[in-house]
Amino acid sequence: MAKKVALLQGNEACAHGALYAGCNFFGGYPITPSTEVAEVLSNELPKFGGKFIQMEDEIGAMASIIGASLTGAKALTASSGPGISLKQELIGYACIAEVPCVIISVMRGGPSTGMPTGPGQSDVMQAKWGTHGDHATIALAPASVQEIFTETVRAFNLAEKYRMPVQVVYDEIVGHMRERIEFPEPGDLEIINRAKPTVGPDKYKPYDTSFGDVPPLAAYGTGYRYHVTGLNKAQDGFPTTKAEYVDAEERRQIRKVEGEVARVDIEKYEEYLTDDATILLFAYGSTSRSARYAVNELRKEGIKVGLFRPITLWPFPEKRIAALGKQVKAIIVPELNLGQMNLEVERVVKGACPVISIGRVDGEPINPGQIIAQVKEVK
Amino acid sequence: MAYDYEKYIRPGKLPHIWCPGCGHGIVMKGLIRAIDSCGLDKNNTALVSGIGCASRLPGYLDFCTLHTAHGRAAAFATGVKMAKPEMNVIVMGGDGDGTAIGGNHFIHACRRNIDMTYVIMNNLIYGMTGGQFSPCTPTGDKASTTPYGNPDPTFDISKLAIGAGATFVARTTAFHATQIDKLIAEGIKHKGMAIIEVLDDCPTTYGRRNKFRSVIDMMKRLKDIAVPVAAAGKMTAEQLEGKVLTGVLYKEDKPEYCEQYAKVIAKASGAK
Ligand SMILES: Cc1ncc(C[n+]2csc(CCOP(=O)(O)OP(=O)(O)O)c2C)c(N)n1
Ligand code: SF4
Ligand SMILES: [Mg+2]
């Protein structure tokens, strides 16, 4: 049977991806350019008993999804720069308390109110380091309407699997453009649900590492009574200041994402003509589409350019970028900010090749011509 | 009456962090008696709090407990209740937590009239951080950040709750210990947002700066300022000067939020 196809906006695809993943709770607060996610879900969720709530602000929205998730719900919020800034304290709460949830961050310009209807990619470091304290981050960066759907599904899967907040960050261009999308049938994409406790309530500890780096999470109201706090805690969930407990828990929470095995599972990227490339473009989101176009044009002229497109932005694909840094003469990083991921590429390449930033923050997309000119300059 | 508090206290979690003479412990015992009298199922009851001395309360009790971030308890609790309306949701917190940083969540939870019970322990101060003034610190009083006397006007929490749309609002004090459980129990049974303000005391950071020579003096003040609503009707404005009304201050039947949303679900699923 032919798959269902539609012409959909990025934000609409996000909402449908969330539903496909099993999302049954949305808490939000309106902000351009993310609002369509809320609008679609306010319509769809109650059709099957799901819950939609428009909270009084983004902090409340973030709080509501953490509360909902603790009852077992698959919970989502969506916002943009200023709203994502407001959520930061509680994103950290979800990290330390290890509560699965998904946060959609549709990027506009900034800081502050910036250019609400213009595109930007200047919140990629906010995704990594926006909340205070040491913590691991998972952030995904789709570049098309179809990919917003599939990456939103993956975000839920990773949130449930690693028991933590996962962010999907994309720029206003991808969020607002309309493209053809093929809806996966039920079963086409894997759906992961959080591990449930295998021990009875009397033996249950919410951070019991005898079950590995991601301990099972019981839902409130199912017979398991336990404590959740934003304080540093021991495996039983109660606050502690004991150095060895605090240290072990903090390290585990980073290891569960940045450890060797987890990285292989979480990292995702696409390489285009990188095998013989002597110049590499590193680009994500809408900018990667201009970059791909530039690669095709330059290849016609015999210039060996390739594109590395991270789909998982955080954790950063360190190994592969380090290897490519040794292979190519230069890495060019076009992005709609003044060099944020550029810094990360530089850090990982460790001077093996020059890393050149193409930054743009005037509310216009980076066009292929701009990239082509830069490539020709370094060639 | 000998009372089995142990039934609800988590083994090994006492002693608590509260100072000798702190009123929060009195409220905790009142809460236990209220929960017991209502016969709430521990497994199906969530105790949610923010940050502060008052907000440490849930950690000691054997329920589904959620110690959140400063000011955010009502919003977390809203998520819990919305996602699982069959759970009993009780919020416990301080005056600073609930009316300063959490003021927005507080009034909107009242406005929605979502079915939860919010016990706000008003000790007139930010106790945990060492006694800075809160929105409830009386004008003129001393706090660590009002060395010349507090220039700020104060919130009347109960009035705020009524104005914001809570459908059950009651007030008592830590001196009137037995009234605490009766009012909390009534709040739990009420369908909708129930606010129970308990005036209590912080001898450590408020009392000593404001010429209370002992906890007994602070308790005496709570005893003296309380006027039951029924009695207030017969008193003159002069006699009511400096007093606070206690008892059930407001009660109304209004549609509850989760029930309202259930209607949305019925409408949406019918329109499939
Ligand atoms: C975001 C944030 N801001 C400030 C604080 C510091 N802080 C912790 S408790 C508290 C005041 C608590 O006062 P109240 O809610 O009245 O509780 P009490 O300690 O008096 O019982 C403050 C300001 C914090 N933990 N988080
Ligand atoms: S500082 Fe005040 S509020 Fe905190 S425990 Fe001590 S007496 Fe109670
Ligand atoms: Mg206080």
Side-chain angles (χ1 to χ4, degrees), chain B residues 131-168:
Chain B
Q132 301 74 34
F133 74 99
S134 90
C136 301
T137 305
T139 307
D141 277 9
K142 291 278 173 64
S144 78
T145 46
T146 58
Y148 303 105
N150 178 21
D152 279 36
T154 57
F155 263 147
D156 178 327
I157 297 177
S158 291
K159 272 191 189 159
L160 180 67
I162 296 167
T167 51
F168 179 91

Side-chain angles (χ1 to χ4, degrees), chain A residues 55-57, chain B residues 71 74-75 78 97-114 118 120 155-167 193 195:
Chain A
M55 291 296 287
E56 49 276 11
D57 58 27
Chain B
T78 299
D97 186 73
T99 70
I101 191 165
N104 201 30
H105 307 307
F106 180 82
I107 57 173
H108 286 278
C110 290
R111 173 180 62 82
R112 289 188 193 99
N113 193 35
I114 188 161
Y118 192 145
I120 187 155
F155 263 147
D156 178 327
I157 297 177
S158 291
K159 272 191 189 159
L160 180 67
I162 296 167
T167 51
M193 179 49 125
I195 304 288

Side-chain angles (χ1 to χ4, degrees), chain A residues 56 93 220 225 227 229, chain B residues 43 65 67 82 84 105 112:
Chain A
E56 49 276 11
Y93 185 93
Y220 277 178
R225 299 190 299 275
H227 189 55
T229 177
Chain B
N43 287 328
T65 54
H67 178 230
M82 221 5 213
K84 218 170 222 178
H105 307 307
R112 289 188 193 99

Side-chain angles (χ1 to χ4, degrees), chain A residues 67-87:
Chain A
S69 179
L70 284 168
T71 72
K74 283 181 144 181
L76 177 75
T77 189
S79 189
S80 181
I84 298 290
S85 291
L86 287 178
K87 290 181 197 294

Side-chain angles (χ1 to χ4, degrees), chain B residues 162-234:
Chain B
I162 296 167
T167 51
F168 179 91
V169 179
R171 178 162 51 206
T172 185
T173 86
F175 176 82
H176 304 84
T178 56
Q179 199 181 24
I180 297 175
D181 35 304
K182 293 200 182 74
L183 293 177
I184 296 177
E186 218 178 310
I188 289 170
K189 287 177 198 143
H190 177 77
K191 187 95 191 158
M193 179 49 125
I195 304 288
I196 293 96
E197 177 187 1
V198 184
L199 291 166
D200 67 354
D201 65 303
C202 170
T204 307
T205 79
Y206 176 80
R208 74 185 164 88
R209 280 199 183 87
N210 291 286
K211 301 203 171 74
F212 288 95
R213 285 171 45 242
S214 67
V215 176
I216 297 170
D217 283 354
M218 300 192 80
M219 283 292 153
K220 272 192 184 139
R221 172 185 158 269
L222 293 175
K223 176 178 176 238
D224 291 343
I225 60 171
V227 173
V229 261
K234 298 175 209 110

Side-chain angles (χ1 to χ4, degrees), chain B residues 5-19:
Chain B
Y5 294 102
E6 303 281 312
K7 195 174 139 193
Y8 295 94
I9 291 174
R10 281 186 164 131
K13 294 303 159 204
L14 293 181
H16 53 67
I17 64 155
W18 298 317
C19 309

